[in-house]
Amino acid sequence: MRGGRGGAAVCAVLGALLTGCQGPAASPQDGPPGTGATAPAPGGHGAVFLAVDECSSFGRTSFTEVPCVSERAAARVVARHDGTVRDGPPCPGTTDFVLHISAQDRTSDEDGDGAVPQGYACMRNLTPPHPGDPGGGGGPRTIVGDCVYGSGDGQVRETACDGEGEHEPGYQVTRIVDRRSQCPSSTALYVKVGGEKPVGCARRL
């Protein structure tokens, strides 16, 4: 959930009391929380709309592919996958936000096959801030170095570790492991982060 200071909602267990479910990241600049937005009809510049190393314009609810040297360029694609985030590979850990690309039927597109498939692009801002960095307070994934706070109903959300976000950090993820038994003894909170190693070990700040 990470252009802004919004944070990912993630499952967490504090002792035996705090439980919850992982939710998408959120950013004040994003569309639906953590998902970015669905692209309008693309106006791309490459063989594939928003391919790796290509750039998008400013905006989350409306964006286009633009040359990376353009003054309109805001973020670069660091990974690109077809399908949905739920079913596809996760974005790299330091992704700042995700753009969802809707399927498009066109008479002519970048590669000439008449269609742009549904997919998603993992984006990295061209200039700071980088909310996807460790402790940055956002981004689509929770990684080592990120901080979280209790948001109620057994959930925690990411917030900036420097305290400059809307919420004060309460815990910091120190390790991501296969299972809780691998967390250090200083662990005060277990955060469900998903992926191949689904458990985040967080210490109290």
Side-chain angles (χ1 to χ4, degrees):
M1 333 169 227
R2 296 165 157 172
R5 290 289 194 186
V10 292
C11 291
V13 178
L14 176 58
L17 300 178
L18 186 59
T19 60
C21 294
Q22 183 166 352
S27 170
Q29 297 178 354
D30 288 348
T35 62
T38 300
H45 292 265
V48 176
F49 179 59
L50 286 180
V52 172
D53 285 334
E54 291 178 342
C55 293
S56 71
S57 62
F58 290 91
R60 302 289 188 270
T61 58
S62 178
F63 57 89
T64 58
E65 181 180 312
V66 296
C68 291
V69 295
S70 168
E71 63 181 13
R72 297 177 57 211
R76 187 184 301 272
V77 181
V78 294
R80 173 74 156 82
H81 304 288
D82 290 337
T84 65
V85 171
R86 180 182 300 272
D87 300 324
C91 285
T94 55
T95 298
D96 286 328
F97 63 94
V98 177
L99 292 180
H100 286 195
I101 300 163
S102 64
Q104 304 284 336
D105 293 322
R106 293 167 52 122
T107 55
S108 62
D109 71 341
E110 291 85 350
D111 58 11
D113 66 3
V116 175
Q118 180 183 20
Y120 58 98
C122 308
M123 309 299 296
R124 176 85 172 166
N125 293 329
L126 292 178
T127 59
H130 292 292
D133 283 351
R141 295 183 59 187
T142 300
I143 59 177
V144 171
D146 280 342
C147 292
V148 299
Y149 70 96
S151 60
D153 298 327
Q155 290 191 340
V156 296
R157 289 184 178 271
E158 283 188 43
T159 188
C161 290
D162 60 13
E164 293 185 359
E166 187 174 340
H167 299 275
E168 286 293 321
Y171 305 86
Q172 185 172 37
V173 177
T174 60
R175 189 177 301 178
I176 292 178
V177 297
D178 295 321
R179 53 188 181 276
R180 292 185 193 175
S181 61
Q182 295 175 326
C183 287
S185 59
S186 59
T187 299
L189 184 76
Y190 301 99
V191 181
K192 186 175 181 180
V193 298
E196 294 182 359
K197 294 187 175 184
V199 180
C201 315
R203 65 180 179 88
R204 189 185 301 272
L205 295 175

